[in-house]
Amino acid sequence: MEKSDQNVTERRTGAGQGHESDLSVYAWFAENRYPGAHDPAVVAQATGLPPAGVTAAIERLLDTGLLAPAGARQETLRVVSPDSAYFRRAAPVEAEIRRRQDDIARMRSRFDDFSPLFPDSRESGEGIEVIPTLAEVRLLLNRLGEQCTTEVVSCQPGGGARLPEAMSEALVRDRAMLERGVRIRTIYHHTARFNGPSQAYVAAASALGAEYRTTHELAGRIIIMDRETAFLSAAGPELGAVVIREPSTVAYLYEMFELTWGQATPFQESTGREMEAVARELHRTILRLLADGLKDEAIARRLGMSLRTARRHIAEILERLGADSRFQAGVAASRAGLLDT
């Protein structure tokens, strides 16, 4: 919740700073139910609050409707039951919610009228839709996530590094699906094991029942929901997606995920030994990619790490092998059996 929204909510509900004072002042008025002139000094003496604190509490209680003027005399107050004050304040909000719900229902009905006119991609054989922007992709993912009933599997290239707020939102969505019995499986690059926020996210989601594994190479980003709809990254700067619903293609992509999943390493709390094993596998993969002639940029992309990190690993490997060039490193690694699988 944004700070400004929180302040508005506190003004409307009486929560926040001064809440304890409000309770004490409200209790005094509840015990002295007769309408009469209120002297902050009298209330302060009875409650142990400073007179200025009593005055501020009375103003907040008047604002929330828990106190009200007694008749035409503004200097006298009467206590109002919490239920009455709540319903008086909540009624317009609930009316607005009902109005919005009616608007959504009318909108849904209008768009539903067009649904029969749009060809079902699974029947037409097309099965491919390009979603051009990231915002549209997120909307569709959220909608399909709410409808998902059995399983979500995904490959997430990169080190898993995301903004903390984005991870919090994802955790809320994952929790909702897991509570409905949806199985969630995700494969990251090994580099996610070295990313603190990713470690925390995986630990939290794993505690809810999600499953995570890592591998040294991933071909690209993919999300498959209920084995019916697959999302692939679209080419271009807008970070859109290609949505595939054609059953045979989705089934093939799912089998590719299962193959990668079976070869990946469970992502749990990483011990020193596991981290060393992952580091060795990364270095072995970098050696193989160097031997294949890949450039630094391509190696970084294949392994889900930044270009700077990839170059640091390459420099460490060259130094360890005593090589002055990539070619020499490849020859030395081959002689030492480091490229053997």
Side-chain angles (χ1 to χ4, degrees):
M1 180 183 295
E2 296 293 337
K3 187 173 182 180
S4 58
D5 295 337
Q6 181 178 357
N7 291 338
V8 171
T9 302
E10 291 179 354
R11 287 197 301 271
R12 290 177 175 175
T13 63
Q17 187 176 7
H19 186 62
E20 296 298 326
S21 301
D22 296 353
L23 291 173
S24 298
V25 173
Y26 182 84
W28 185 88
F29 276 95
E31 293 172 359
N32 299 272
R33 296 178 62 86
Y34 59 88
H38 59 278
D39 184 349
V42 175
V43 181
Q45 184 177 6
T47 60
L49 297 171
V54 170
T55 300
I58 289 174
E59 291 177 356
R60 288 192 294 268
L61 292 170
L62 285 168
D63 185 55
T64 56
L66 289 165
L67 291 179
R73 299 182 61 191
Q74 297 294 321
E75 68 275 9
T76 60
L77 300 175
R78 62 181 178 85
V79 69
V80 179
S81 75
D83 286 343
S84 296
Y86 165 76
F87 286 117
R88 186 176 295 110
R89 300 299 294 271
V93 177
E94 292 177 343
E96 176 65 16
I97 292 174
R98 287 193 295 270
R99 187 182 70 80
R100 293 289 187 178
Q101 290 174 333
D102 290 342
D103 290 343
I104 292 173
R106 284 192 294 269
M107 188 184 303
R108 179 73 267 175
S109 177
R110 173 169 173 75
F111 282 95
D112 283 345
D113 291 341
F114 291 86
S115 294
L117 306 178
F118 188 80
D120 190 326
S121 58
R122 286 169 291 188
E123 296 178 357
S124 66
E126 297 174 359
I128 297 179
E129 179 184 4
V130 178
I131 309 296
T133 67
L134 180 59
E136 293 175 279
V137 172
R138 285 176 173 171
L139 287 173
L140 183 57
L141 281 172
N142 288 337
R143 181 164 63 84
L144 293 182
E146 293 173 354
Q147 300 170 359
C148 191
T149 60
T150 58
E151 184 181 34
V152 176
V153 300
S154 62
C155 294
Q156 301 288 354
R162 289 180 288 178
L163 294 174
E165 54 268 26
M167 288 189 171
S168 297
E169 293 175 3
L171 189 60
V172 170
R173 291 193 297 268
D174 288 352
R175 182 193 298 272
M177 287 192 288
L178 290 165
E179 289 177 348
R180 297 201 310 271
V182 176
R183 186 184 185 189
I184 296 178
R185 292 186 290 161
T186 303
I187 306 174
Y188 287 132
H189 271 118
H190 279 327
T191 47
R193 294 174 179 268
F194 303 94
N195 180 269
S198 296
Q199 293 172 354
Y201 177 82
V202 168
S206 296
L208 298 173
E211 302 168 62
Y212 295 88
R213 294 186 180 184
T214 64
T215 188
H216 57 293
E217 290 184 87
L218 285 174
R221 190 178 309 278
I222 181 172
I223 302 171
I224 304 175
M225 294 185 170
D226 285 342
R227 304 194 194 186
E228 294 180 350
T229 306
F231 288 76
L232 303 178
S233 297
E238 296 300 325
L239 301 178
V242 177
V243 182
I244 301 175
R245 297 183 176 88
E246 197 282 315
S248 296
T249 307
V250 174
Y252 172 79
L253 293 171
Y254 185 84
E255 289 301 320
M256 292 300 98
F257 171 86
E258 286 288 11
L259 179 63
T260 306
W261 179 264
Q263 299 173 345
T265 305
F267 189 172
Q268 300 168 343
E269 292 187 7
S270 297
T271 63
R273 181 177 300 177
E274 290 172 343
M275 297 294 276
E276 289 177 6
V278 167
R280 286 195 300 269
E281 186 176 355
L282 279 173
H283 278 197
R284 186 166 58 249
T285 304
I286 291 173
L287 276 169
R288 178 172 55 79
L289 296 177
L290 286 172
D292 290 341
L294 270 67
K295 301 295 185 183
D296 294 356
E297 292 80 1
I299 293 175
R301 186 168 56 253
R302 289 275 289 271
L303 299 182
M305 61 180 61
S306 68
L307 179 58
R308 175 181 296 181
T309 301
R311 285 175 172 166
R312 177 169 54 80
H313 281 293
I314 292 170
E316 290 175 358
I317 292 171
L318 294 178
E319 181 180 0
R320 183 177 303 173
L321 293 174
D324 295 325
S325 68
R326 296 161 183 264
F327 176 76
Q328 289 181 357
V331 172
S334 179
R335 288 175 177 173
L338 297 178
L339 297 180
D340 298 337
T341 58

